[in-house]
Amino acid sequence: MRVLALETSCDDTCAAVVEGPRVLSNVVSSQASFHERYGGVVPEVASRHHLELVNPVVDAALGEAAVELDDLDALAVTRGPGLIGALLVGLSTAKALAAARRKPLVGVDHLHGHVAASFLEPDPLQPPFLCLIASGGHTLLAAVRDHAGFETLGETLDDAAGEALDKAARLLGLGYPGGPAIQRLAAEGDPDAFPFPVAMRDDPGLDFSFSGLKTALAYAVRELGSEKAAARRADLAASYQAAVVGQLVAKLERAVDVDGWHAVALGGGVAANALLRERTAALCERRGLRLKLVAPALCTDNAAMIAAAATHSDAAPYPEYLSWDAAV
Ligand code: KG4
Ligand code: ZN
């Protein structure tokens, strides 16, 4: 099945052509530089940029894959969750393209997309597996028992892991998005310099919490004073990153214990983090588990993962999907 997918749920305009587990093209136009000056994504600015970028990005995806609309079996698009205005740009474009050729359309849940990134080459992972999804908007443990969906075993009670990194980066005067900035600075710092709390470690459930950590960083910065805090930014970043990753890996290990999983995958933008990948690899090595680490470009938002999810979902025939709304 050959699918053209669109993804515009947040600030990246994405289109990809995927055939089974093979990615024929995967185009991402990042708007990060437009949002950087505000320290985060401005929804209305994101929608306007999507409008400008979506057609060129779709053309590039078709061009790189050397296919035309007529060669597609179906189109796919993220219906939610995400920013409503941003989602509507992708949804309207996908509806129009599909309707013009009377092709079927698959509406995809963004989080199922992050899970489905593991179905792609190289080394596609077959269910069942346990998947940790950590992104800017979500943090959850997913039981993936088949290709068609997942069950949430636990999730964050407050901030998402990526959100915690983005907020910390803002507090430390780093750029947006915060995760990569924290990772870069942390490489020069001491992860044991500040004893930030690894929340929920002793909690028997599978939920996460990151808002206390953010407060702990704010207190540490205030106690140090602005001059000393600036001088110790690398230590603060390293200690903070270690606490975020520590919680994610502790909960992943608990979930493995509870349900006896044999295979583990990571997804979402935070899964691009080197320390998280390293710690998860060590856990899987220790416990004899198969690990699927998708390439960083398939961890952060992209449309190839949306196509991968669509490949295993029901498509709506023309004209059924014309009445679809975005599902925020
Ligand atoms: O999945 P994603 O691209 O968008 C959402 O669905 O939210 O995730 C974006 C999040 C941001 O919070 C960003 O700071 C984080 O992923 N991120 C990282 C890294 N790359 C992106 N966090 C830690 N280390 C990274 N290398
Ligand atoms: Zn995402």
Side-chain angles (χ1 to χ4, degrees):
M1 170 145 148
R2 194 181 290 154
V3 181
L4 166 69
L6 276 71
E7 148 65 46
T8 62
S9 65
C10 191
D11 63 335
D12 292 318
T13 316
C14 318
V17 180
V18 168
E19 191 171 345
R22 276 179 53 222
V23 180
L24 303 185
S25 66
N26 188 22
V27 179
V28 177
S29 178
S30 171
Q31 303 178 12
S33 57
F34 299 116
H35 298 280
E36 191 171 4
R37 76 189 80 159
Y38 308 108
V41 178
V42 183
E44 188 53 27
V45 172
S47 311
R48 283 162 196 261
H49 282 295
H50 283 309
L51 268 179
E52 282 172 25
L53 294 168
V54 71
N55 287 329
V57 165
V58 165
D59 288 345
L62 290 169
E64 277 179 33
V67 299
E68 299 189 6
L69 284 176
D70 286 329
D71 304 327
L72 300 168
D73 296 303
L75 283 88
V77 64
T78 306
R79 280 185 78 180
L83 304 170
I84 180 70
L87 287 165
L88 284 172
V89 176
L91 182 61
S92 317
T93 308
K95 277 187 197 176
L97 289 171
R101 305 293 158 129
R102 305 291 192 263
K103 300 275 182 191
L105 181 63
V106 188
V108 176
D109 170 74
H110 182 79
L111 296 168
H112 187 215
H114 278 305
V115 165
S118 288
F119 303 157
L120 293 168
E121 285 182 351
D123 304 320
L125 186 60
Q126 303 299 326
F129 60 88
L130 173 68
C131 187
L132 169 69
I133 303 293
S135 73
H138 298 86
T139 298
L140 60 98
L141 282 161
V144 187
R145 298 198 175 88
D146 56 44
H147 287 97
F150 65 89
E151 182 199 343
T152 301
L153 301 174
E155 61 191 325
T156 184
L157 302 174
D158 40 58
D159 292 349
E163 186 181 1
L165 290 163
D166 292 337
K167 286 178 175 169
R170 191 154 15 153
L171 200 73
L172 295 176
L174 308 172
Y176 171 83
I182 296 260
Q183 174 174 316
R184 269 193 303 277
L185 193 60
E188 299 155 26
D190 173 6
D192 298 318
F194 293 89
F196 289 133
V198 176
M200 313 290 281
R201 181 138 60 188
D202 303 318
D203 172 87
L206 295 176
D207 290 330
F208 303 83
S209 169
F210 293 98
S211 68
L213 181 57
K214 182 185 63 191
T215 310
L217 175 67
Y219 278 128
V221 167
R222 198 194 301 169
E223 261 170 45
L224 285 167
S226 54
E227 213 167 287
K228 273 199 196 134
R232 302 207 54 196
R233 276 201 325 183
D235 286 344
L236 287 164
S239 302
Y240 191 88
Q241 177 183 249
V244 171
V245 169
Q247 186 184 159
L248 291 172
V249 176
K251 288 292 164 170
L252 188 62
E253 180 159 22
R254 175 150 303 155
V256 166
D257 285 338
V258 172
D259 279 330
W261 298 93
H262 298 295
V264 164
L266 299 179
V270 181
N273 183 266
L275 183 66
L276 177 59
R277 294 165 82 91
E278 199 181 288
R279 290 281 164 82
T280 307
L283 165 69
C284 291
E285 173 89 46
R286 204 165 63 236
R287 306 291 297 263
L289 308 170
R290 171 155 189 220
L291 171 64
K292 165 84 179 178
L293 286 176
V294 301
L298 292 173
C299 292
T300 47
D301 286 349
N302 66 87
M305 69 182 196
I306 301 303
T311 301
H312 301 281
S313 308
D314 292 333
Y318 172 84
E320 208 176 90
Y321 48 80
L322 289 178
S323 60
W324 282 359
D325 209 343
V328 200

